[in-house]
Amino acid sequence: MDILSRYRDSSIENIWNEDNRYNLFYEVELAYLKAEAMLGKIPADIPDYLERNRPPFSAEEIQNEEKITRHEVVAFINVVSRKLDKYTEYFHRGLTSSDIMDTVFSLQIKQSLRHINALTDETIKVLTEKADQFKHNACAGRTHGVHAEPYFFGLRFLTVAVALKRSLNMLAALEQSIPGKLSGALGIYTNLDPDIESEFLRILGLSALPVSTQIVPRDVYAPVLFYLALEASILDKLAQDMRILQITEIGEAQEEFKRGQAGSSAMPHKRNPVRWERISGLSRVLRSQVNVALENVPLWFERDISHSSTERIVYPLCFDLIAFMLKETKSLVSNSVFDSSRMLANMSNSKNLLYSSRALSVIQQKLGREAAYKRVQDLSRQVLDGEVDDFIEALRSSCLLSEEELQSITDVSDLHAKVDLIYERAAAFLSN
């Protein structure tokens, strides 16, 4: 059963499918010969010929050969060599299988990161557009799930955009620094010239390692999964907030719900936040894979192969899922409905207790901090316990504030300039 059919990204699938992988095998072998030719080790017409006369081969052919060899790279070399009419003696000369497989793995990761980083950048743009739309829309801020102070709805999108930008910066750095290797068995260049590795990696656009074993050390790759999982957690944070805002009693958000869509098989009125819930669920899968990457770091001595089977699963899986989640987030932010009138109604339902800290700030200038806090807390208690209907009325009855002061603490337009400053700082960060 194809368990990923719901969450597949075609670009990631094309990068990680077997036909592309074996084509990269050939590209890497060819890059080695080009590097040798550039350094005068072999005639230039050898890599030129092998590039012009690239033989057709398929993953199926190589997999059938592997049933005999039980070694993937040997199977690849056998299939390709049979199809070449000359220069096969130069193919894979002095190399070990990890020179090919790890370098190809790095190329696949680099290609995948380029795609994910582009999707992340698109998602950031959509989030900033929505943040601008609701920049000065007042709403109830919540800490511990409880009304705290007046807040501005656009900041909910802006904080996620900035968090994704932090993640993007790390993933972009990883994309630029992913290394390959051409250091042979045990990484000590037994049958290779170290100068060739530098040229080889330059051709492929990969970084060089100061030291390797027979493989690229797996601590190099582990951060990739960590930062993909971190990005998934950032999307999960937004998804959870949007799910809570869609609770009936809050009702400030409504996930896109198309005509003909069903929310429940039993309750026709339901409009459930199923796509946001899907993002939350998939983030759990992504986070769970980080441990696999860490377990792959402590391999035996100069190499073992226990990492290989896991990497064939977890890296394409994680890239597939994060690509899907980014596209879902982009669509949901663009097409969901956000109800400004409900935001104001929810603020009103707080019986104006959201303004307690603004009241405290004014009153403490008259009474001092400790006395002012006790008075405002007692007035708040009266409202919470139902002794008084409204916090502003409780303040008015206390005679602690003038009518002008009462009006000033409920008018949050004085915060607009401060919000503008936050947006300016965010814009500067996002533009770098």
Side-chain angles (χ1 to χ4, degrees), residues 189-206:
Y189 305 97
T190 302
N191 299 305
L192 293 166
D193 182 341
D195 291 338
I196 292 174
E197 183 183 45
S198 299
E199 187 62 30
F200 165 80
L201 294 173
R202 187 197 64 78
I203 292 168
L204 294 172
L206 296 173

PDB file of all heavy atoms in Angstrom, residues 189-206:
ATOM      1  N   TYR A 189      42.874   8.058   0.743  1.00  0.00           N
ATOM      2  CA  TYR A 189      43.345   8.267  -0.639  1.00  0.00           C
ATOM      3  C   TYR A 189      44.335   7.185  -1.088  1.00  0.00           C
ATOM      4  O   TYR A 189      45.288   7.472  -1.831  1.00  0.00           O
ATOM      5  CB  TYR A 189      44.000   9.649  -0.796  1.00  0.00           C
ATOM      6  CG  TYR A 189      43.120  10.795  -0.380  1.00  0.00           C
ATOM      7  CD1 TYR A 189      43.236  11.363   0.893  1.00  0.00           C
ATOM      8  CD2 TYR A 189      42.154  11.320  -1.247  1.00  0.00           C
ATOM      9  CE1 TYR A 189      42.424  12.429   1.288  1.00  0.00           C
ATOM     10  CE2 TYR A 189      41.340  12.377  -0.854  1.00  0.00           C
ATOM     11  CZ  TYR A 189      41.484  12.924   0.416  1.00  0.00           C
ATOM     12  OH  TYR A 189      40.681  13.970   0.798  1.00  0.00           O
ATOM     13  N   THR A 190      44.102   5.952  -0.675  1.00  0.00           N
ATOM     14  CA  THR A 190      45.061   4.880  -0.979  1.00  0.00           C
ATOM     15  C   THR A 190      45.374   4.804  -2.467  1.00  0.00           C
ATOM     16  O   THR A 190      46.550   4.699  -2.868  1.00  0.00           O
ATOM     17  CB  THR A 190      44.512   3.535  -0.491  1.00  0.00           C
ATOM     18  OG1 THR A 190      44.260   3.622   0.913  1.00  0.00           O
ATOM     19  CG2 THR A 190      45.508   2.411  -0.760  1.00  0.00           C
ATOM     20  N   ASN A 191      44.366   4.842  -3.320  1.00  0.00           N
ATOM     21  CA  ASN A 191      44.560   4.727  -4.764  1.00  0.00           C
ATOM     22  C   ASN A 191      44.108   5.981  -5.498  1.00  0.00           C
ATOM     23  O   ASN A 191      43.757   5.931  -6.683  1.00  0.00           O
ATOM     24  CB  ASN A 191      43.789   3.515  -5.302  1.00  0.00           C
ATOM     25  CG  ASN A 191      44.274   2.223  -4.691  1.00  0.00           C
ATOM     26  OD1 ASN A 191      45.461   1.908  -4.756  1.00  0.00           O
ATOM     27  ND2 ASN A 191      43.365   1.469  -4.076  1.00  0.00           N
ATOM     28  N   LEU A 192      44.103   7.121  -4.795  1.00  0.00           N
ATOM     29  CA  LEU A 192      43.592   8.362  -5.367  1.00  0.00           C
ATOM     30  C   LEU A 192      44.550   9.516  -5.068  1.00  0.00           C
ATOM     31  O   LEU A 192      45.296   9.490  -4.091  1.00  0.00           O
ATOM     32  CB  LEU A 192      42.216   8.699  -4.776  1.00  0.00           C
ATOM     33  CG  LEU A 192      41.062   7.760  -5.138  1.00  0.00           C
ATOM     34  CD1 LEU A 192      39.875   8.018  -4.225  1.00  0.00           C
ATOM     35  CD2 LEU A 192      40.660   7.947  -6.595  1.00  0.00           C
ATOM     36  N   ASP A 193      44.503  10.508  -5.935  1.00  0.00           N
ATOM     37  CA  ASP A 193      45.249  11.744  -5.715  1.00  0.00           C
ATOM     38  C   ASP A 193      44.327  12.726  -4.986  1.00  0.00           C
ATOM     39  O   ASP A 193      43.248  13.055  -5.495  1.00  0.00           O
ATOM     40  CB  ASP A 193      45.666  12.316  -7.072  1.00  0.00           C
ATOM     41  CG  ASP A 193      46.501  13.587  -6.954  1.00  0.00           C
ATOM     42  OD1 ASP A 193      46.464  14.226  -5.884  1.00  0.00           O
ATOM     43  OD2 ASP A 193      47.162  13.942  -7.941  1.00  0.00           O
ATOM     44  N   PRO A 194      44.692  13.209  -3.808  1.00  0.00           N
ATOM     45  CA  PRO A 194      43.822  14.132  -3.068  1.00  0.00           C
ATOM     46  C   PRO A 194      43.439  15.380  -3.860  1.00  0.00           C
ATOM     47  O   PRO A 194      42.366  15.947  -3.636  1.00  0.00           O
ATOM     48  CB  PRO A 194      44.656  14.505  -1.837  1.00  0.00           C
ATOM     49  CG  PRO A 194      45.573  13.342  -1.639  1.00  0.00           C
ATOM     50  CD  PRO A 194      45.895  12.866  -3.024  1.00  0.00           C
ATOM     51  N   ASP A 195      44.315  15.819  -4.766  1.00  0.00           N
ATOM     52  CA  ASP A 195      43.987  17.006  -5.553  1.00  0.00           C
ATOM     53  C   ASP A 195      42.772  16.781  -6.442  1.00  0.00           C
ATOM     54  O   ASP A 195      42.048  17.734  -6.769  1.00  0.00           O
ATOM     55  CB  ASP A 195      45.181  17.408  -6.429  1.00  0.00           C
ATOM     56  CG  ASP A 195      46.342  17.944  -5.601  1.00  0.00           C
ATOM     57  OD1 ASP A 195      46.088  18.386  -4.459  1.00  0.00           O
ATOM     58  OD2 ASP A 195      47.481  17.915  -6.094  1.00  0.00           O
ATOM     59  N   ILE A 196      42.560  15.540  -6.834  1.00  0.00           N
ATOM     60  CA  ILE A 196      41.426  15.243  -7.703  1.00  0.00           C
ATOM     61  C   ILE A 196      40.111  15.463  -6.962  1.00  0.00           C
ATOM     62  O   ILE A 196      39.114  15.916  -7.541  1.00  0.00           O
ATOM     63  CB  ILE A 196      41.524  13.800  -8.245  1.00  0.00           C
ATOM     64  CG1 ILE A 196      42.716  13.692  -9.207  1.00  0.00           C
ATOM     65  CG2 ILE A 196      40.238  13.382  -8.949  1.00  0.00           C
ATOM     66  CD1 ILE A 196      42.996  12.296  -9.686  1.00  0.00           C
ATOM     67  N   GLU A 197      40.091  15.170  -5.670  1.00  0.00           N
ATOM     68  CA  GLU A 197      38.861  15.349  -4.902  1.00  0.00           C
ATOM     69  C   GLU A 197      38.401  16.801  -4.929  1.00  0.00           C
ATOM     70  O   GLU A 197      37.196  17.084  -5.085  1.00  0.00           O
ATOM     71  CB  GLU A 197      39.058  14.898  -3.453  1.00  0.00           C
ATOM     72  CG  GLU A 197      37.775  15.009  -2.630  1.00  0.00           C
ATOM     73  CD  GLU A 197      37.983  14.631  -1.177  1.00  0.00           C
ATOM     74  OE1 GLU A 197      38.985  15.088  -0.578  1.00  0.00           O
ATOM     75  OE2 GLU A 197      37.144  13.894  -0.632  1.00  0.00           O
ATOM     76  N   SER A 198      39.309  17.733  -4.793  1.00  0.00           N
ATOM     77  CA  SER A 198      38.938  19.150  -4.786  1.00  0.00           C
ATOM     78  C   SER A 198      38.276  19.554  -6.094  1.00  0.00           C
ATOM     79  O   SER A 198      37.249  20.236  -6.107  1.00  0.00           O
ATOM     80  CB  SER A 198      40.179  20.015  -4.539  1.00  0.00           C
ATOM     81  OG  SER A 198      40.753  19.722  -3.287  1.00  0.00           O
ATOM     82  N   GLU A 199      38.850  19.134  -7.197  1.00  0.00           N
ATOM     83  CA  GLU A 199      38.292  19.459  -8.508  1.00  0.00           C
ATOM     84  C   GLU A 199      36.952  18.743  -8.714  1.00  0.00           C
ATOM     85  O   GLU A 199      35.991  19.315  -9.249  1.00  0.00           O
ATOM     86  CB  GLU A 199      39.283  19.080  -9.610  1.00  0.00           C
ATOM     87  CG  GLU A 199      38.879  19.523 -11.003  1.00  0.00           C
ATOM     88  CD  GLU A 199      38.781  21.040 -11.114  1.00  0.00           C
ATOM     89  OE1 GLU A 199      39.507  21.753 -10.393  1.00  0.00           O
ATOM     90  OE2 GLU A 199      37.960  21.504 -11.934  1.00  0.00           O
ATOM     91  N   PHE A 200      36.894  17.515  -8.289  1.00  0.00           N
ATOM     92  CA  PHE A 200      35.670  16.701  -8.368  1.00  0.00           C
ATOM     93  C   PHE A 200      34.515  17.388  -7.644  1.00  0.00           C
ATOM     94  O   PHE A 200      33.413  17.524  -8.177  1.00  0.00           O
ATOM     95  CB  PHE A 200      35.984  15.328  -7.754  1.00  0.00           C
ATOM     96  CG  PHE A 200      34.813  14.467  -7.411  1.00  0.00           C
ATOM     97  CD1 PHE A 200      34.156  13.723  -8.380  1.00  0.00           C
ATOM     98  CD2 PHE A 200      34.386  14.356  -6.087  1.00  0.00           C
ATOM     99  CE1 PHE A 200      33.090  12.892  -8.047  1.00  0.00           C
ATOM    100  CE2 PHE A 200      33.327  13.531  -5.741  1.00  0.00           C
ATOM    101  CZ  PHE A 200      32.676  12.795  -6.730  1.00  0.00           C
ATOM    102  N   LEU A 201      34.756  17.862  -6.422  1.00  0.00           N
ATOM    103  CA  LEU A 201      33.702  18.507  -5.638  1.00  0.00           C
ATOM    104  C   LEU A 201      33.329  19.859  -6.223  1.00  0.00           C
ATOM    105  O   LEU A 201      32.157  20.271  -6.173  1.00  0.00           O
ATOM    106  CB  LEU A 201      34.149  18.655  -4.186  1.00  0.00           C
ATOM    107  CG  LEU A 201      34.329  17.333  -3.427  1.00  0.00           C
ATOM    108  CD1 LEU A 201      34.942  17.581  -2.054  1.00  0.00           C
ATOM    109  CD2 LEU A 201      33.006  16.586  -3.289  1.00  0.00           C
ATOM    110  N   ARG A 202      34.303  20.562  -6.796  1.00  0.00           N
ATOM    111  CA  ARG A 202      33.998  21.836  -7.455  1.00  0.00           C
ATOM    112  C   ARG A 202      33.057  21.630  -8.622  1.00  0.00           C
ATOM    113  O   ARG A 202      32.095  22.382  -8.810  1.00  0.00           O
ATOM    114  CB  ARG A 202      35.293  22.505  -7.929  1.00  0.00           C
ATOM    115  CG  ARG A 202      35.082  23.916  -8.481  1.00  0.00           C
ATOM    116  CD  ARG A 202      36.275  24.376  -9.308  1.00  0.00           C
ATOM    117  NE  ARG A 202      36.474  23.562 -10.505  1.00  0.00           N
ATOM    118  CZ  ARG A 202      35.737  23.685 -11.611  1.00  0.00           C
ATOM    119  NH1 ARG A 202      34.747  24.568 -11.672  1.00  0.00           N
ATOM    120  NH2 ARG A 202      35.982  22.921 -12.649  1.00  0.00           N
ATOM    121  N   ILE A 203      33.301  20.596  -9.400  1.00  0.00           N
ATOM    122  CA  ILE A 203      32.441  20.285 -10.548  1.00  0.00           C
ATOM    123  C   ILE A 203      31.008  20.031 -10.093  1.00  0.00           C
ATOM    124  O   ILE A 203      30.041  20.481 -10.731  1.00  0.00           O
ATOM    125  CB  ILE A 203      32.988  19.072 -11.310  1.00  0.00           C
ATOM    126  CG1 ILE A 203      34.319  19.426 -11.997  1.00  0.00           C
ATOM    127  CG2 ILE A 203      31.983  18.551 -12.333  1.00  0.00           C
ATOM    128  CD1 ILE A 203      35.073  18.221 -12.534  1.00  0.00           C
ATOM    129  N   LEU A 204      30.853  19.335  -8.994  1.00  0.00           N
ATOM    130  CA  LEU A 204      29.524  18.951  -8.515  1.00  0.00           C
ATOM    131  C   LEU A 204      28.876  19.999  -7.623  1.00  0.00           C
ATOM    132  O   LEU A 204      27.698  19.867  -7.261  1.00  0.00           O
ATOM    133  CB  LEU A 204      29.611  17.623  -7.753  1.00  0.00           C
ATOM    134  CG  LEU A 204      30.000  16.407  -8.593  1.00  0.00           C
ATOM    135  CD1 LEU A 204      30.237  15.203  -7.694  1.00  0.00           C
ATOM    136  CD2 LEU A 204      28.923  16.096  -9.638  1.00  0.00           C
ATOM    137  N   GLY A 205      29.614  21.034  -7.239  1.00  0.00           N
ATOM    138  CA  GLY A 205      29.051  22.076  -6.388  1.00  0.00           C
ATOM    139  C   GLY A 205      28.875  21.656  -4.952  1.00  0.00           C
ATOM    140  O   GLY A 205      27.963  22.127  -4.260  1.00  0.00           O
ATOM    141  N   LEU A 206      29.745  20.771  -4.468  1.00  0.00           N
ATOM    142  CA  LEU A 206      29.689  20.296  -3.093  1.00  0.00           C
ATOM    143  C   LEU A 206      30.904  20.777  -2.315  1.00  0.00           C
ATOM    144  O   LEU A 206      31.942  21.103  -2.900  1.00  0.00           O
ATOM    145  CB  LEU A 206      29.628  18.762  -3.061  1.00  0.00           C
ATOM    146  CG  LEU A 206      28.387  18.126  -3.687  1.00  0.00           C
ATOM    147  CD1 LEU A 206      28.541  16.607  -3.742  1.00  0.00           C
ATOM    148  CD2 LEU A 206      27.115  18.507  -2.932  1.00  0.00           C
TER     149      LEU A 206
END
